[in-house]
Amino acid sequence: MRAEDRGVATDAKSGELLMVAHMNAEALKRTVESGEAWYFSRSRKALWKKGESSGHTQRVIEMRVDCDQDTVWIKVEQHGPGACHTGRRSCFYRVVPLKQTGAIALQFRDAERTFNPDAVYDKK
Amino acid sequence: MRAEDRGVATDAKSGELLMVAHMNAEALKRTVESGEAWYFSRSRKALWKKGESSGHTQRVIEMRVDCDQDTVWIKVEQHGPGACHTGRRSCFYRVVPLKQTGAIALQFRDAERTFNPDAVYDKK
């Protein structure tokens, strides 16, 4: 795993795609050893444990790696109300309607906030 | 979408993660316009339509984009026996057992070949 590789987290029960984030070799190692999801921030050049600020940790139920070993799929039990820093359960709360042409329009879907991100994340 | 961004394809019925590949702005546009999955090969610097060699195309049932707009989730109807170039239904046919330490070992899971890749892909 390299810094540009990805971890893909789905809800172990519903199959919903919760989030996709960078996962380097050390983040993979920590996830395997701890059974909780760790990722890598390329902008901060730092490892981060999901939920370290919010408490919304991810317990890994199963982990798989893809054929070319640049993506890891983790099926997780998402603790707390959501995985997305915008306050939603999933980061994928906008639909891209098909068969449109020109500038791409988006539609909100399953976009209700399940928590208030201002109250959960540190303001730094 | 930039060249390093990703498209994540799940089976629209089962929720299984089938594959993750690069998807740039033009691949996204073609996917939206055609309703079939297009990706971008960074090594070949070329757009590719899933199934252009194998016939194993992906019809997009729903497309979503994530909060920071660098990943697209497509729920697809996978045509043909599989999505993976190794001849499996999914690229994620190996489990990473949790709580192991040291060098990471893998275990095959759902790894039966559903087609013979040598017979399906062009030898160039």
Side-chain angles (χ1 to χ4, degrees):
Chain A
M1 303 283 286
R2 298 174 302 169
E4 65 183 61
D5 294 343
R6 301 296 203 279
V8 174
T10 61
D11 183 292
K13 279 196 183 152
S14 71
E16 180 186 20
L17 182 54
L18 296 173
M19 59 179 281
V20 175
H22 289 91
M23 187 183 276
N24 67 356
E26 180 63 23
L28 173 68
K29 180 171 172 282
R30 292 195 187 192
T31 303
V32 169
E33 287 179 359
S34 69
E36 296 205 278
W38 281 78
Y39 299 98
F40 177 71
S41 166
R42 292 201 306 173
S43 56
R44 291 187 288 121
K45 294 186 176 31
L47 296 162
W48 58 286
K49 181 186 172 186
K50 177 64 190 166
E52 66 188 3
S53 299
S54 63
H56 305 165
T57 54
Q58 294 177 333
R59 188 166 77 89
V60 181
I61 305 299
E62 187 182 274
M63 172 182 268
R64 297 191 179 208
V65 64
D66 72 342
C67 49
D68 52 4
Q69 298 193 183
D70 64 5
T71 307
V72 165
W73 174 19
I74 49 176
K75 302 180 192 181
V76 305
E77 187 178 272
Q78 174 67 54
H79 295 169
C84 183
H85 78 289
T86 67
R88 277 103 174 178
R89 177 153 177 84
S90 160
C91 296
F92 294 85
Y93 54 85
R94 291 173 299 180
V95 165
V96 187
L98 299 172
K99 305 290 169 85
Q100 56 177 312
T101 53
I104 289 174
L106 303 176
Q107 295 174 351
F108 285 84
R109 187 87 49 92
D110 306 320
E112 308 74 33
R113 285 208 163 78
T114 55
F115 63 98
N116 176 0
D118 291 340
V120 163
Y121 292 102
D122 291 344
K123 290 282 182 302
K124 284 173 185 168
Chain B
M1 302 284 285
R2 299 175 302 170
E4 65 184 59
D5 294 342
R6 302 292 203 280
V8 174
T10 61
D11 184 294
K13 279 195 183 152
S14 70
E16 179 186 22
L17 182 54
L18 296 172
M19 60 179 280
V20 175
H22 287 91
M23 187 183 276
N24 67 357
E26 180 63 23
L28 172 68
K29 180 170 174 283
R30 292 196 188 192
T31 302
V32 168
E33 288 179 359
S34 69
E36 298 207 277
W38 281 79
Y39 300 98
F40 178 70
S41 166
R42 292 202 305 173
S43 57
R44 290 188 288 118
K45 293 188 178 25
L47 295 163
W48 59 284
K49 182 187 173 185
K50 177 63 190 167
E52 66 189 1
S53 297
S54 63
H56 304 166
T57 53
Q58 294 176 334
R59 188 166 76 91
V60 180
I61 306 300
E62 187 182 273
M63 172 182 270
R64 296 190 179 209
V65 64
D66 73 343
C67 49
D68 53 4
Q69 298 193 182
D70 64 5
T71 307
V72 165
W73 174 18
I74 49 176
K75 303 179 191 181
V76 305
E77 187 179 273
Q78 174 67 55
H79 295 169
C84 184
H85 77 288
T86 67
R88 278 102 174 180
R89 176 152 178 83
S90 161
C91 296
F92 294 84
Y93 54 85
R94 291 173 299 180
V95 165
V96 187
L98 299 172
K99 304 293 169 81
Q100 55 177 314
T101 54
I104 289 174
L106 303 177
Q107 294 174 351
F108 284 84
R109 189 86 49 91
D110 306 320
E112 309 75 32
R113 285 208 164 78
T114 54
F115 63 97
N116 177 1
D118 291 341
V120 163
Y121 293 102
D122 291 343
K123 290 285 184 299
K124 283 173 186 166

